[in-house]
């Protein structure tokens, strides 16, 4: 594992950036603190980075910084994003959701480009349920309708999404987390998702920490 | 919907529990027992925060202490504040002294007096007139230190790093003990444009490096430009 480290000096030579740039990016949280690994070497203490994480990250920063300001970039890489907008192409390029989920969303809402975080969250939840096989495409439309209409009520708070079926008919329920809900015997609870957890998963995906 | 919070005023000696407030004003000796958030906080006299504080603006005239992290938009200290945790204000203006066990980060810091940190400091613009002591890394886009006392950091990194000694400062103190002299001691300095005076460092790396009088540098690595004062001692300098 230790072989996968790159020294700071080697990194700067390889990427052509300066110390100042490196520290500026660190300050802007484009490079996480825990990627700076201090180790003793023959010249005293030196800083090393995980090679497989830092090089793609610096490439991304160099490629993206012409289109985005550093602060916008920080939002992209930050685990606590608020204001992220991605186009349909970017969402697919970065493998955030599958094209079938995205297409269904566009078909239902007519929303074409610049997806804000809350929109992406809906598509992400849809994608998750589609992929797990819990819902059909038709039920996906129902889900999107539910989320579009009601998810904003829970903004800033966690809520639970429950999918039930009774005699083959699906129904989605959004309820504030921690509340108790009881069904009659004929109801089967297909799945339940906590939105806060989905938010976090999506942030990680957008952050590209596992590039 | 924006919620309206109540203002709070303490005159004399008072204790208050935490919570969300609009403006807080204290004159005298005040203690806040719980977590507190407010739009502005002005403390005249002595303020004791037993838990964390989040304030749009925080102003201290006198002395203060905080047992956990404090943060917000702006902080101005005229006097002295010691914090057991982190200090996260976008703008920080100190006339006097700020001591914190944790890290400090923000956009801009103006220090007239002293800043002592157990952890790291990260600012886009950091200007110090007096002394600065940082336990870990000092990282600033623009770092300007006019030393009037001992300065320390484990490591310094940034874009523009200018360290100078205030003329004639603490001459008598320096005669008494070298640990009181206006001098920067650090292990590594890395930046784009570096100008140093009265600095002890193991390694200095930069695009353009100027080593001024009184420096003791083990090794300089530079890219474009290097010059050293005859009154400086540099072990070796290499263009890389």
């Amino acid at each position: 594992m230790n072989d996968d480290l790159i020294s700071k000096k080697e990194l700067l030579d390889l990427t052509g950036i300066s110390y100042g740039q490196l520290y500026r990016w660190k300050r802007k949280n484009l490079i996480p603190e825990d990627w700076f690994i201090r180790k003793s070497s023959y010249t005293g203490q030196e800083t090393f980075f995980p090679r497989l994480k830092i090089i793609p990250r610096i490439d991304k920063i160099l490629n993206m910084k012409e289109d985005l300001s550093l602060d916008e970039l920080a939002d992209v890489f930050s685990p606590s994003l608020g204001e992220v907008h991605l186009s349909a192409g970017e969402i697919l390029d970065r493998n955030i959701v599958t094209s079938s989920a995205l297409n269904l969303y566009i078909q239902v809402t007519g929303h074409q480009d610049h997806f804000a975080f809350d929109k992406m969250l809906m598509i992400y939840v849809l994608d998750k349920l589609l992929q797990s096989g819990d819902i059909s495409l038709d039920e996906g439309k129902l889900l999107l309708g539910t989320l579009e209409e009601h998810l904003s009520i829970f903004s800033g708070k966690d809520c639970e999404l429950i999918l039930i079926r009774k005699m083959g008919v699906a129904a989605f329920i959004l309820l504030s987390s921690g509340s108790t809900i009881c069904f009659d015997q004929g109801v089967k609870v297909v799945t339940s998702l906590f939105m806060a957890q989905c938010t976090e998963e999506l942030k990680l995906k957008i952050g590209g920490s596992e590039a | 919907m924006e919620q309206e919070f109540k203002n709070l005023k303490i005159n004399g000696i008072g204790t208050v529990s935490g919570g969300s407030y609009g403006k807080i004003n204290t004159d005298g000796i005040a203690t806040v027992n719980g977590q507190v958030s407010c739009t502005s906080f002005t403390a005249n006299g002595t303020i004791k925060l037993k838990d964390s504080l989040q304030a749009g603006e925080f102003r201290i005239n006198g002395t203060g202490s905080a047992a956990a992290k404090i943060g917000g938009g702006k902080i101005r200290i005229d006097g002295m504040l010691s914090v057991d945790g982190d200090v996260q204000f976008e703008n920080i203006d100190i006339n006097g002294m700020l001591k914190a066990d944790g890290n400090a980060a923000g956009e801009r810091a103006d220090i007239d007096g002293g800043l002592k940190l157990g952890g790291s400091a990260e600012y886009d613009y950091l200007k110090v007139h007096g002394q600065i002591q940082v336990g870990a890394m000092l990282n600033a886009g623009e770092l300007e230190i006019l030393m009037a006392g001992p300065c320390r950091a484990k490591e310094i990194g940034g874009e523009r790093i200018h360290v100078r000694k205030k003329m004639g400062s603490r001459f008598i103190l320096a005669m008494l003990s070298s640990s009181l002299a206006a001098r920067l001691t650090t292990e590594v300095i890395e930046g784009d444009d570096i100008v140093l005076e009265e600095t002890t460092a193991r390694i200095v790396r930069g695009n353009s490096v100027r080593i001024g009088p009184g420096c003791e540098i083990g090794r300089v690595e530079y890219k474009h430009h290097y010059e050293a004062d005859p009154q400086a001692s540099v072990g070796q300098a290499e263009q890389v």
Side-chain angles (χ1 to χ4, degrees), chain A residues 180-194:
Chain A
T180 313
I181 184 167
C182 303
F183 304 104
D184 72 60
Q185 280 196 339
V187 171
K188 177 183 172 8
V189 176
V190 181
T191 187
S192 97
L193 285 175
F194 285 96

Side-chain angles (χ1 to χ4, degrees), chain A residues 8-9 12-13 16-24 26-29 33 38 43-47, chain B residues 122-124 137 139-141 154-155 157-159 187 190-192 202-203 205-207 219 221 223:
Chain A
K8 194 194 283 173
K9 208 183 226 175
L12 298 191
D13 281 346
I17 62 172
S18 71
Y19 284 109
Q21 264 172 312
L22 183 71
Y23 287 117
R24 166 173 283 258
K26 175 179 187 292
R27 217 163 48 243
K28 295 281 182 191
N29 292 322
E33 172 76 45
R38 292 194 171 75
T43 51
Q45 254 209 352
E46 288 292 333
T47 304
Chain B
E122 291 195 357
Y123 286 97
D124 278 359
M137 162 124 201
N139 177 353
K154 190 146 198 296
E155 205 180 317
E159 282 142 73
E187 282 188 26
E190 289 173 336
D192 293 341
R202 196 165 50 76
I203 296 181
R205 298 191 182 107
N207 291 343
R219 179 180 161 83
E221 289 174 15
K223 226 177 200 164

Side-chain angles (χ1 to χ4, degrees), chain A residues 84-142:
Chain A
V84 179
H85 293 262
L86 292 179
S87 70
E90 281 172 311
I91 291 179
L92 293 179
D93 280 350
R94 290 162 69 174
N95 266 330
I96 293 168
V97 297
T98 60
S99 56
S100 51
L102 186 64
N103 287 337
L104 183 64
Y105 182 84
I106 294 172
Q107 191 195 324
V108 171
T109 63
H111 198 90
Q112 282 285 350
D113 44 20
H114 291 292
F115 294 89
F117 188 80
D118 58 329
K119 303 288 177 214
M120 282 193 274
L121 182 62
M122 293 175 196
I123 308 171
Y124 179 71
V125 171
L126 170 69
D127 194 32
K128 229 173 134 97
L129 292 178
L130 281 175
Q131 286 207 47
S132 64
D134 287 334
I135 60 170
S136 67
L137 281 173
D138 268 343
E139 287 164 344
K141 290 181 190 165
L142 184 65

Side-chain angles (χ1 to χ4, degrees), chain A residues 5-185:
Chain A
L5 293 177
I6 182 170
S7 75
K8 194 194 283 173
K9 208 183 226 175
E10 212 184 320
L11 178 74
L12 298 191
D13 281 346
L14 199 72
T15 55
I17 62 172
S18 71
Y19 284 109
Q21 264 172 312
L22 183 71
Y23 287 117
R24 166 173 283 258
W25 293 347
K26 175 179 187 292
R27 217 163 48 243
K28 295 281 182 191
N29 292 322
L30 298 179
I31 301 169
E33 172 76 45
D34 55 7
W35 289 8
F36 285 72
I37 301 163
R38 292 194 171 75
K39 291 184 71 165
S40 48
S41 74
Y42 68 99
T43 51
Q45 254 209 352
E46 288 292 333
T47 304
F48 292 84
F49 298 89
R51 187 188 290 267
L52 296 175
K53 286 183 184 166
I54 190 81
I55 293 178
R57 173 64 60 96
I58 286 185
D59 281 346
K60 267 188 220 164
I61 298 171
L62 288 173
N63 284 328
M64 288 164 73
K65 93 177 154 138
E66 273 158 36
D67 306 321
L68 296 171
S69 73
L70 282 185
D71 288 326
E72 286 168 322
L73 268 175
D75 277 343
V76 174
F77 294 132
S78 162
S80 59
L81 358 137
E83 297 292 314
V84 179
H85 293 262
L86 292 179
S87 70
E90 281 172 311
I91 291 179
L92 293 179
D93 280 350
R94 290 162 69 174
N95 266 330
I96 293 168
V97 297
T98 60
S99 56
S100 51
L102 186 64
N103 287 337
L104 183 64
Y105 182 84
I106 294 172
Q107 191 195 324
V108 171
T109 63
H111 198 90
Q112 282 285 350
D113 44 20
H114 291 292
F115 294 89
F117 188 80
D118 58 329
K119 303 288 177 214
M120 282 193 274
L121 182 62
M122 293 175 196
I123 308 171
Y124 179 71
V125 171
L126 170 69
D127 194 32
K128 229 173 134 97
L129 292 178
L130 281 175
Q131 286 207 47
S132 64
D134 287 334
I135 60 170
S136 67
L137 281 173
D138 268 343
E139 287 164 344
K141 290 181 190 165
L142 184 65
L143 167 70
L144 284 178
T146 314
L147 293 176
E148 279 279 349
E149 198 174 336
H150 299 297
L151 192 58
S152 56
I153 299 171
F154 298 95
S155 74
K157 281 174 261 160
D158 190 13
C159 69
E160 194 177 355
L161 172 74
I162 297 177
L163 169 60
I164 56 166
R165 272 205 185 99
K166 187 176 181 183
M167 300 171 83
V169 180
F172 291 97
I173 296 161
L174 279 174
L175 74 159
S176 48
S177 72
S179 30
T180 313
I181 184 167
C182 303
F183 304 104
D184 72 60
Q185 280 196 339

